Amino acid sequence: MPVPVQTTRVTPVTASALARFNAASADEVTRTLLTCLNSHHWAHRLASHRPYPDLPSLLAAADEAAYDLSPDDLTEALATEVLPPLPEDTYAAAHTALSAATAAYERRFGHAFVICLDGMAADEALDHVLAGIRSRLTNDPDEERLVAAEELRRLARARLTGAIRGAGNCASNH
């Protein structure tokens, strides 16, 4: 029996949504961007390069800025990340397993575990997170910072797309 895939109604990015982003004050745009990725360097860089002609250009700039995060910028961004909440009907054992895995990860690497779950079926997310934590616990700290930076880049891209689409909460999907 096939597993149902989580579907989300996607609101297209309209020219007016991007125009509002481009025309907003630098402070307002920076606040929005910081909810997508908590790096002041990343947010100021994107805000200062406006206007963007289209969403792909904005996302390309966001990716480039994320690739250029310094170690301090990455530490700043990781400091506010949290795992998404588990569905209410999740077994207590799953909560215990996830708590133990994240505690081990945070002890080893000194920051929250981040993973992008875009496109993931809701009923597969927990297994994906647990498998990700377990496999990434074997990374050395330098390798894991690279993996975490890539996950942050993917999260920022998804959150930014949601913010521009007017989703209202660009801090979803960890």
Side-chain angles (χ1 to χ4, degrees), residues 111-130:
H111 58 80
F113 177 78
V114 292
I115 191 166
C116 185
L117 299 174
D118 274 4
M120 178 77 45
D123 60 346
E124 295 175 4
L126 176 62
D127 289 338
H128 186 73
V129 170
L130 285 171

Side-chain angles (χ1 to χ4, degrees), residues 13 46 88 94 118 138:
V13 173
L46 289 177
E88 289 183 26
D118 274 4
T138 64

Side-chain angles (χ1 to χ4, degrees), residues 69-111:
L69 291 176
S70 71
D72 288 343
D73 297 331
L74 182 58
T75 298
E76 177 186 29
L78 286 168
T80 59
E81 291 294 327
V82 296
L83 281 173
L86 294 176
E88 289 183 26
D89 62 346
T90 303
Y91 293 108
H95 284 278
T96 302
L98 186 58
S99 293
T102 56
Y105 180 93
E106 290 173 6
R107 268 193 312 276
R108 175 150 168 73
F109 298 113
H111 58 80

Side-chain angles (χ1 to χ4, degrees), residues 21 33 36 42 46 58-59 62 156-164 170:
F21 177 84
L33 291 168
C36 300
W42 180 85
L46 289 177
L58 173 57
L59 295 177
R157 184 179 179 88
R159 293 169 180 165
L160 182 54
T161 300
I164 297 301
C170 69

